[in-house]
Amino acid sequence: MNNTDILVIVSLLPLSALMLVLQVNPYHALVIRGILGAVAALVYAVLGAADVALTEALVGTMLSITLYAVAVRSSLVMRLGVVTEEETLLEEEMPEGFRQLLAELRTALKKYHVRLELVCYRNEEALEQALKEHDVHGTCLPSEIKDYQLITRIERLYEIFQADTTFPVSRWEEVVINKLPEPTELSLNP
């Protein structure tokens, strides 16, 4: 192989690395990461380091892509807690207002490649406890203002929903502060 062929192959490394850094969609970034690993393995093989090329192909490409895919899949989920009698909710059995809310949430989250997962609880106390214990990222409860109100404990989700949905959204901290009783002044006089 002549020097220009090696130079072309080696120039693919920074190009694919730049594409990886600039990628917005995490699934596309996984594919580009695989390409980057394959190019690196090819460079090592061309330069005569067959053992390093094999290691890069197996560990640097295949194993890391698999682990990244599992991590991306599990981290791009918003768990929304709802109160319902059933274990699971069927789309056709949901009230129209709730279906509209879910459609707005999915549209808002799709821009960030996040899936929406509904988690059912039997009562509001269990739902509130799940939010406190970080089992869910947000809750959906009936509201007087509009059919439903979202409460989230994650600031970034609050900002996304505030901008992209028509339903009222609250921060978990604000709800907790509003539930606390008013502080009473201590008086030394009877």
Side-chain angles (χ1 to χ4, degrees), residues 140-190:
C140 179
L141 296 170
S143 171
E144 298 85 31
I145 303 169
K146 197 160 180 175
D147 294 336
Y148 297 95
Q149 176 176 4
L150 295 169
I151 300 171
T152 182
R153 62 179 172 80
I154 300 174
E155 184 68 28
R156 182 67 181 131
L157 287 175
Y158 174 79
E159 293 167 0
I160 290 169
F161 296 149
Q162 198 65 12
D164 295 341
T165 63
T166 60
F167 287 84
V169 182
S170 299
R171 290 185 184 100
W172 170 245
E173 295 81 18
E174 294 171 355
V175 173
V176 171
I177 289 172
N178 291 339
K179 283 187 177 181
L180 293 176
E182 290 294 321
T184 57
E185 290 185 26
L186 294 175
S187 173
L188 298 176
N189 298 332

Side-chain angles (χ1 to χ4, degrees), residues 75-81 105 109 114-118 137-139 150-152 154 157 161:
S75 66
L76 293 177
V77 175
M78 186 225 169
R79 296 173 49 95
L80 181 67
L105 292 180
L109 293 172
V114 177
R115 290 180 296 123
L116 181 65
E117 179 180 300
L118 294 179
H137 301 108
T139 62
L150 295 169
I151 300 171
T152 182
I154 300 174
L157 287 175
F161 296 149

Side-chain angles (χ1 to χ4, degrees), residues 11-23 32-33 35-36:
S11 67
L12 292 175
L13 279 174
L15 179 65
S16 57
L18 181 66
M19 288 173 53
L20 178 66
V21 171
L22 297 177
Q23 190 51 249
I32 295 172
R33 172 61 181 96
I35 293 169
L36 178 65

Side-chain angles (χ1 to χ4, degrees), residues 20-169:
L20 178 66
V21 171
L22 297 177
Q23 190 51 249
V24 176
N25 187 331
Y27 294 108
H28 294 166
L30 284 173
V31 172
I32 295 172
R33 172 61 181 96
I35 293 169
L36 178 65
V39 170
L42 179 64
V43 168
Y44 294 139
V46 166
L47 295 177
D51 56 338
V52 180
L54 183 61
T55 303
E56 176 63 32
L58 293 176
V59 177
T61 303
M62 293 171 57
L63 182 63
S64 68
I65 293 300
T66 304
L67 293 176
Y68 290 160
V70 169
V72 166
R73 175 84 175 142
S74 63
S75 66
L76 293 177
V77 175
M78 186 225 169
R79 296 173 49 95
L80 181 67
V82 295
V83 176
T84 182
E85 298 294 321
E86 295 84 28
E87 293 285 323
T88 59
L89 286 173
L90 299 175
E91 190 84 26
E92 57 273 357
E93 295 176 1
M94 295 177 189
E96 182 59 35
F98 190 67
R99 275 189 276 178
Q100 180 186 357
L101 169 71
L102 290 181
E104 284 188 30
L105 292 180
R106 286 184 177 126
T107 301
L109 293 172
K110 188 176 183 179
K111 295 177 190 173
Y112 303 96
H113 311 287
V114 177
R115 290 180 296 123
L116 181 65
E117 179 180 300
L118 294 179
V119 183
C120 301
Y121 292 93
R122 297 274 181 206
N123 54 41
E124 286 189 30
E125 292 78 28
L127 182 62
E128 188 174 321
Q129 187 65 28
L131 194 59
K132 282 181 189 175
E133 293 175 359
H134 299 233
D135 291 337
V136 293
H137 301 108
T139 62
C140 179
L141 296 170
S143 171
E144 298 85 31
I145 303 169
K146 197 160 180 175
D147 294 336
Y148 297 95
Q149 176 176 4
L150 295 169
I151 300 171
T152 182
R153 62 179 172 80
I154 300 174
E155 184 68 28
R156 182 67 181 131
L157 287 175
Y158 174 79
E159 293 167 0
I160 290 169
F161 296 149
Q162 198 65 12
D164 295 341
T165 63
T166 60
F167 287 84
V169 182

